[in-house]
């Protein structure tokens, strides 16, 4: 079964994954995100110690530009993360995705129904793509500029905790499922299991 714009007649709703309403999942994902971020920061401090000289006359000016780039980069990343979700949603379905903001997060959603493999690609595409881009940038950066892009990388990987959680759940489901992701919740559909005739 490939991705489609209309749910097949023999498919029914199986479950709904809603990380906003499911408080247990909500807290698990947020704690996982913090753990990932803490581990990455610890690795970064060990690999590239941040050496600041607060007594320098130009200390404030040296920090101002990197701070502006960092804040702008984090905002841009949030938008670009969802853009990658949307690009793959459209590529797999030819159904135009929709984008929006809800409370403190952005989202990309689609009315299309995606098969298991394609949905996992959609879920993981941003963290993989931007992870590679940020890794390449950081390889050429030193000092405080390494940390500017490394912190964005921390946001990339730590912020993908929700995508990783959903992917883990989807992986345990049957291969013939279809998933509709409206941006705020994921609905999983599965084919109706026809009962065998008696005596067969």
């Amino acid at each position: 079964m490939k991705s489609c714009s209309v749910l097949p007649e023999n498919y029914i709703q199986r479950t709904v994954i809603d990380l906003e309403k499911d408080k247990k999942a909500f807290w698990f994902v947020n704690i996982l995100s913090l753990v990932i971020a803490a581990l990455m920061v610890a690795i970064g401090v060990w690999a590239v110690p941040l050496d600041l000289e607060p007594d320098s006359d130009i200390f404030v000016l040296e920090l101002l530009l990197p701070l502006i780039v960092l804040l702008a980069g984090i905002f841009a990343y949030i938008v670009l993360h969802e853009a990658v979700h949307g690009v793959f949603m459209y590529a797999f379905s030819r159904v135009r995705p929709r984008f929006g903001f809800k409370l403190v997060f952005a989202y990309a959603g689609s009315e299309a129904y995606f098969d298991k493999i394609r949905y996992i690609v959609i879920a993981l595409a941003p963290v993989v793509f931007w992870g590679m881009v940020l890794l390449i940038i950081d390889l050429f950066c030193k000092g405080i500029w390494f940390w500017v892009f490394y912190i964005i990388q921390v946001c990339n990987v730590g912020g993908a905790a929700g995508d990783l959680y959903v992917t883990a759940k989807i992986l345990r489901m049957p291969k013939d499922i279809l998933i509709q992701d409206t941006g705020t919740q994921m609905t999983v559909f599965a084919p109706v299991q026809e009962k065998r005739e008696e005596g067969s």
Side-chain angles (χ1 to χ4, degrees):
M1 173 63 69
K2 296 182 178 180
S3 303
C4 52
S5 57
V6 178
L7 185 69
E9 292 183 0
N10 64 321
Y11 272 69
I12 60 173
Q13 180 176 316
R14 173 177 175 176
T15 187
V16 175
I17 303 172
D18 191 326
L19 298 183
E20 183 181 9
K21 293 181 180 179
D22 184 342
K23 297 305 179 184
K24 183 178 180 180
F26 173 85
W27 285 111
F28 176 83
V29 167
N30 279 275
I31 291 172
L32 177 61
S33 178
L34 291 175
V35 169
I36 292 173
L39 288 174
M40 289 186 68
V41 169
I43 293 172
V45 170
W46 172 79
V48 184
L50 184 57
D51 184 20
L52 298 178
E53 300 178 2
D55 295 332
S56 172
D57 293 335
I58 59 173
F59 176 70
V60 174
L61 294 178
E62 288 178 337
L63 285 181
L64 184 58
L65 179 58
L67 180 60
I68 292 173
V69 173
L70 173 60
L71 295 177
I74 291 174
F75 177 78
Y77 166 76
I78 293 172
V79 175
L80 292 172
H81 177 103
E82 299 306 325
V84 172
H85 280 314
V87 166
F88 278 86
M89 286 177 172
Y90 182 77
F92 289 149
S93 68
R94 295 303 172 185
V95 175
R96 181 174 296 180
R98 62 174 183 273
F99 302 91
F101 288 88
K102 188 171 184 181
L103 297 178
V104 294
F105 65 89
Y107 66 85
S110 174
E111 295 300 322
Y113 301 87
F114 301 97
D115 64 75
K116 182 175 180 177
I117 298 300
R118 286 175 176 79
Y119 186 74
I120 290 174
V121 172
I122 290 170
L124 299 182
V127 67
V128 173
F129 177 78
W130 292 117
M132 293 300 297
V133 170
L134 291 165
L135 174 61
I136 292 171
I137 292 174
D138 253 335
L139 289 175
F140 293 94
C141 292
K142 295 181 180 180
I144 194 169
W145 287 106
F146 168 88
W147 277 95
V148 167
F149 293 100
Y150 188 71
I151 290 174
I152 298 174
Q153 180 76 286
V154 170
C155 293
N156 174 47
V157 180
D163 293 329
L164 296 173
Y165 172 83
V166 171
T167 297
K169 290 186 71 71
I170 296 297
L171 281 171
R172 296 196 297 268
M173 296 182 184
K175 63 181 181 179
D176 55 356
I177 60 171
L178 290 173
I179 304 101
Q180 184 184 58
D181 186 344
T182 60
T184 56
Q185 69 177 25
M186 290 119 278
T187 306
V188 179
F189 299 87
V192 177
Q193 299 296 325
E194 297 182 359
K195 295 182 178 180
R196 295 184 178 181
E197 296 181 3
E198 294 184 4
S200 60

